[in-house]
Amino acid sequence: MILIAKFLIPKGFVGITLFPFIFLKKEDLKNDKVLVNHEKIHLKQQAELLLIFFYIFYSLEWIFKFLKHKNGYLAYKNLSLEREAYQNENNFNYIKNRKFWAFIKYL
């Protein structure tokens, strides 16, 4: 389910996925198929990591990458979960063909 919540979205971002919802900053972003597909990839990741482990893994990897890059945005862009989503957001069949724990190959 896609909801609009402009105050929930961190500055510099237009969407966030909190299973089972996709929150977008503006209504017209619902028509952005690439963005929605990116967020759907995160839904799949969150489901297979049983949600809590998604956030633990995401947080720990972000801390590690932040210490490495000394930059929050670079840490975010280098997260395996984000790299998988960004590299496959244009492939609208990706979720159907995606292998279990596919994000591991992006570590």
Side-chain angles (χ1 to χ4, degrees):
M1 174 181 277
I2 300 175
L3 303 171
I4 306 307
K6 68 179 182 176
F7 297 111
L8 179 66
I9 313 300
K11 186 177 179 177
F13 297 91
V14 293
I16 189 169
T17 299
L18 302 169
F19 191 86
F21 305 105
I22 295 172
F23 294 97
L24 300 175
K25 195 167 261 193
K26 297 185 288 186
E27 182 75 30
D28 63 326
L29 292 171
K30 285 183 178 181
N31 299 321
D32 186 334
K33 292 180 181 180
V34 173
L35 172 63
V36 171
N37 196 47
H38 177 102
E39 299 303 334
K40 285 181 178 180
I41 292 169
H42 287 316
L43 283 175
K44 188 75 167 171
Q45 294 167 337
Q46 290 174 9
E48 71 188 17
L49 286 169
L50 306 176
L51 195 58
I52 188 67
F53 296 110
F54 173 88
Y55 292 112
I56 291 170
F57 185 80
Y58 195 101
S59 299
L60 290 175
E61 188 179 10
W62 187 88
I63 290 167
F64 176 77
K65 299 286 171 109
F66 179 76
L67 292 172
K68 179 181 177 183
H69 297 290
K70 306 287 191 244
N71 178 296
Y73 185 71
L74 267 178
Y76 159 78
K77 290 294 278 189
N78 282 284
L79 294 174
S80 58
L81 296 158
E82 291 297 342
R83 288 179 56 217
E84 178 190 9
Y86 277 112
Q87 289 181 23
N88 295 288
E89 65 188 8
N90 289 302
N91 180 352
F92 300 109
N93 293 312
Y94 181 71
I95 293 173
K96 286 191 286 187
N97 302 318
R98 183 183 179 271
K99 293 188 173 150
F100 189 73
W101 281 25
F103 68 92
I104 294 293
K105 74 178 187 179
Y106 296 91
L107 279 172

